[in-house]
Amino acid sequence: MTERRHSEFPIDLEALMKGLQASPNADLVTRPTGRAVREAIEAAIADSAPHVAVSVIDFTGVRVLDFSCADEVVARLLLRYLPPERPGNVFFLFRGVEEIHGHAVAEVLARHGLAAVCDFGEGAFGLLGSTTREERTAWSTLERRKRISAGMSASLLGSRGDAMLHRLSERRLAYFDPAGSASSLSALARPVPPRDEP
C-alpha cells in the first residue's frame, strides 16, 4: 500500500457556491461567477505548499455549467498550477463530471492544450482535453495499476515508459515521487462518502 505523503483538499462546488453572493444557486454561469468560484478554490488550497496536495473538485449538484465558468473553474485553475513557479504543488481531480458538464470542460481544456483527470462516477476515471495517444496509453496503464514502481516503467510501457510517466506528472495528470515511482491521481484521492438525500 502506498504511504500517504500528501494532503487532500476536497472542494464541494455546490456548497462553495451557496456561500458566495455571486452564485446563490447551483448554476455555474457567467465569467464573474466562475472567477469568484476559482478564487475561492485557490484561497481554500493556499496553505498546501510546500507539500503535495490533491484537490478533488466535486461537480456533484452543479446543475448548469457554461463555457465561461468551465474556462475559469477548470482551465484557468489548471493553468495557474501547471508551470514550475506555481503557488503550490497541487494536483486536481474533477469529480462528478456528468454529460451536462463534460462538453464544456472538454472544449475549454482542448482550447488551452490542457487535459484533466475526471471521475465520472462508480469508479470510472478518464481524461478530458488534449492528449497524445502515447500519453493516453501510459495514463490508462497507470490508472489500471494505480502505481508503477521505480524500474517497472520499461516493462509496462516500453523504452519510453519513464519519460512518459514524467510527462504525465509535468502535465499534472499523475504524481511522480522523488523515489521514482508514479501514482495515479485516483489512487491518491479518497472516495467521497455518499451524500444524504434531501
Side-chain angles (χ1 to χ4, degrees), residues 123-180:
F125 293 87
L127 295 177
L128 286 180
S130 177
T131 56
T132 66
R133 179 179 296 180
E134 197 175 20
E135 286 170 341
R136 283 188 178 271
T137 298
W139 182 87
S140 295
T141 301
L142 178 59
E143 175 59 35
R144 189 168 55 253
R145 295 181 62 89
K146 302 301 183 189
R147 186 171 184 269
I148 295 177
S149 301
M152 290 295 296
S153 60
S155 62
L156 294 169
L157 299 168
S159 61
R160 286 179 38 80
D162 206 45
M164 289 311 304
L165 293 176
H166 272 287
R167 174 67 177 154
L168 292 177
S169 183
E170 287 171 358
R171 299 197 67 194
R172 317 302 281 170
L173 301 174
Y175 173 59
F176 201 93
D177 69 37

Side-chain angles (χ1 to χ4, degrees), residues 63-185:
R63 302 176 305 177
V64 179
L65 175 68
D66 71 8
F67 285 91
S68 61
C69 277
D71 187 60
E72 289 286 345
V73 176
V74 180
R76 292 182 187 273
L77 185 65
L78 292 176
L79 285 168
R80 180 116 194 269
Y81 288 85
L82 190 62
E85 61 275 12
R86 54 187 162 255
N89 196 13
V90 182
F91 293 80
F92 294 93
L93 188 153
F94 297 91
R95 176 165 278 152
V97 178
E98 299 179 6
E99 188 175 347
I100 58 172
H101 317 116
H103 179 64
V105 171
E107 177 70 23
V108 299
L109 288 172
R111 190 182 305 157
H112 289 281
L114 299 169
V117 179
C118 297
D119 177 355
F120 300 109
E122 298 183 2
F125 293 87
L127 295 177
L128 286 180
S130 177
T131 56
T132 66
R133 179 179 296 180
E134 197 175 20
E135 286 170 341
R136 283 188 178 271
T137 298
W139 182 87
S140 295
T141 301
L142 178 59
E143 175 59 35
R144 189 168 55 253
R145 295 181 62 89
K146 302 301 183 189
R147 186 171 184 269
I148 295 177
S149 301
M152 290 295 296
S153 60
S155 62
L156 294 169
L157 299 168
S159 61
R160 286 179 38 80
D162 206 45
M164 289 311 304
L165 293 176
H166 272 287
R167 174 67 177 154
L168 292 177
S169 183
E170 287 171 358
R171 299 197 67 194
R172 317 302 281 170
L173 301 174
Y175 173 59
F176 201 93
D177 69 37
S181 65
S183 298
S184 69
L185 298 189

